[in-house]
Amino acid sequence: MTIVPLAVPPDPTGDPTVLTRLAAAAAGDGPLLLPHAADEPPPSSPGPSPLPGGGLALGTSGSSGVAKRAVLSPAALAASADATHDRLGGPGQWLLALPPHHVAGMQVLLRSLRADEIPAVVPPGSFTPAAFTAGVATMTGRRRYTSLVPTQLRRLLDDADATAAAASLDAILVGGSAVGPDLLDRALRVALPIVLTYGMSETCGGCVYDGLPLDGVDVHLDAGSRIHLTGPLLATGYLAPPADDPFVVHEGRRWFRTDDLGRLERGDDGRDRLVISGRVDDVVITGGLKVWPSEVAAALTPALPPGGEVVVVGIPDPEWGHRVAALVELPGVNTTPLRGPDPALRPDVTRSRHAPATTAAWSTDAGDIDDGDAGRTERNGDAGRSDGPGGPGGPRPTNDPAARVVAALDTRARDVLPRHARPRIVRVVAVMPRVGLGKPDRRRIAELLAATEWDDESSAVPGPVRAPKEG
C-alpha cells in the first residue's frame, strides 16, 4: 500500500474531502496518510506503507529531540477513541482548538467522526477567548468535549465569557505540557471539567487520564523510573526507525520506552496514579547534585502573576558542569537584555527596556553551590550594594514589571528551594519559544539562556523566537 501526504487546513470542516479521507484511513481503507499543515510543503513519502491499508503517520513534537513520524494503525486509532469515550462518559462531539495535523488535534477530528459527529472548530487564527466562546456556541452534540494546551486554558480563564463556555462542556482534556498547580487550581475553582492527560504520538495521544491509564493501557517504570507504556493504542513503529528504537519487548509484551521519568503515588481511593517527574534528558547535575527542572518550575510558579509561565533548564557551566537557569514568559512586557553599563551587572542579566540600568533581573554567582547558609544567594559584584527584598544580593525594589517578577521569584526560591536548585540566571521575555501544540521549546530556551550576545540593542532575545502554534 502507498503513502500519501494529506494537507489539513486549520478548519478541516471547510473541505469535506479531508474528513472523508481521514475517516477512510481510520477505517483501514486507502493509503497511509501523512497529515501536514496546509500552508507547509508536503513531507516526503519514504517507501511503501508498513500497513495493509489506511492508518496515519503523525509527526512527534520534537520538543527536545528529533521529530519522527509514528505509524498509527486503524486498530490503534479506534482503540484510543473508544477508550477515551469510555473514560469520559460516552461518545460526543469535539471542538477543535489545536492544530489538526498534530496528534491532539487529529484525535479531536477522529473521535468526532467515530461518534458520527461533525467536529466543531474554533475560528482559525490566533487562539483568543472570544474565538473559543464562538466555537463552543456552534456545538450541538449531546455530549461535548474539547482538548487544550495549558497556554490556552490560561487565556480563557482570564475571560468570564470563555470561562462560562468552558464550564458548559462535559470534559476538557489538557495536555501537551505540564499544568502548573496554580493554573489547575484556578480552573477547578470555577468548576471547569478538567482532565489532565499524558501521552504522545506513539500512543495515539493521551493514554493516561488524571494519572490513571485508559482501559487496556499498562504503565511500567524501570529501575531508573523511566516510563514505559503499552496497550492496543501503541504505534506500529516509525516510518524511518531510529537506531535506538524505543519500541521494546519486555516479558513478551511490546512497550514504548518514553523519554519521561515518573513515579506512582497512592491516592485516597487506593489507586496508584502516575506522576511525571520530568524528562530523562532534562535532569540537571550541578556540582554533583541532581536538580529536576519540573519540580523547580512548580515551586516557583506560585510567585508568578496571572498569565506568567516559567521554564527551567540546565545550561553548561565550566566549573560546576551545569547551572540551573529559568526563562519567564510575561505577555505584554517589553524586555531587553542588559550588558552594562553598571560593571556589577554581568552579560547574563536582564532588565526591562525602560527600567533604570541598575534595575537588574536575577543573576547569581554559581560559586556558592553547596547547601550551606541556605538563606543567602550571593551575586557577583554585589559587595557594598544595598540588599534586595529577598535578602543579601537579591534584586532591589522597582516599579518595573519584569524586575518585580524576578524579585518575587528570588524570594520564593530562597523560601522553598535548596541552594543548589535555585536558578542562577532568570530572564524575562514576552513570548516563550515553543514547538507544536504550544510546548516550550526546551532546546531553544537553553540556547537563549546560555547565549552571550544579549545587549541593549536586542528586541527581546538573540535570534528568532517562534510564537505558540495553537491553531
Side-chain angles (χ1 to χ4, degrees), residues 86-177:
D86 287 345
R87 178 63 58 88
L88 298 182
Q93 183 186 28
W94 288 76
L95 173 66
L96 178 66
L98 298 167
H101 59 287
H102 285 292
V103 66
M106 180 58 66
Q107 284 288 46
V108 164
L109 303 179
L110 297 180
R111 292 171 190 142
S112 279
L113 294 175
R114 190 157 181 83
D116 293 325
E117 296 273 9
I118 299 297
V121 180
V122 171
S126 178
F127 182 89
T128 65
F132 175 81
T133 304
V136 171
T138 67
M139 302 184 78
T140 58
R142 186 174 61 88
R143 295 189 64 81
R144 302 178 303 153
Y145 307 116
T146 193
S147 183
L148 303 173
V149 295
T151 300
Q152 294 172 313
L153 176 61
R154 186 178 295 108
R155 290 181 187 175
L156 68 85
L157 282 171
D158 291 333
D159 183 272
D161 291 339
T163 299
S168 73
L169 301 177
D170 292 283
I172 302 171
L173 306 187
V174 183
S177 60

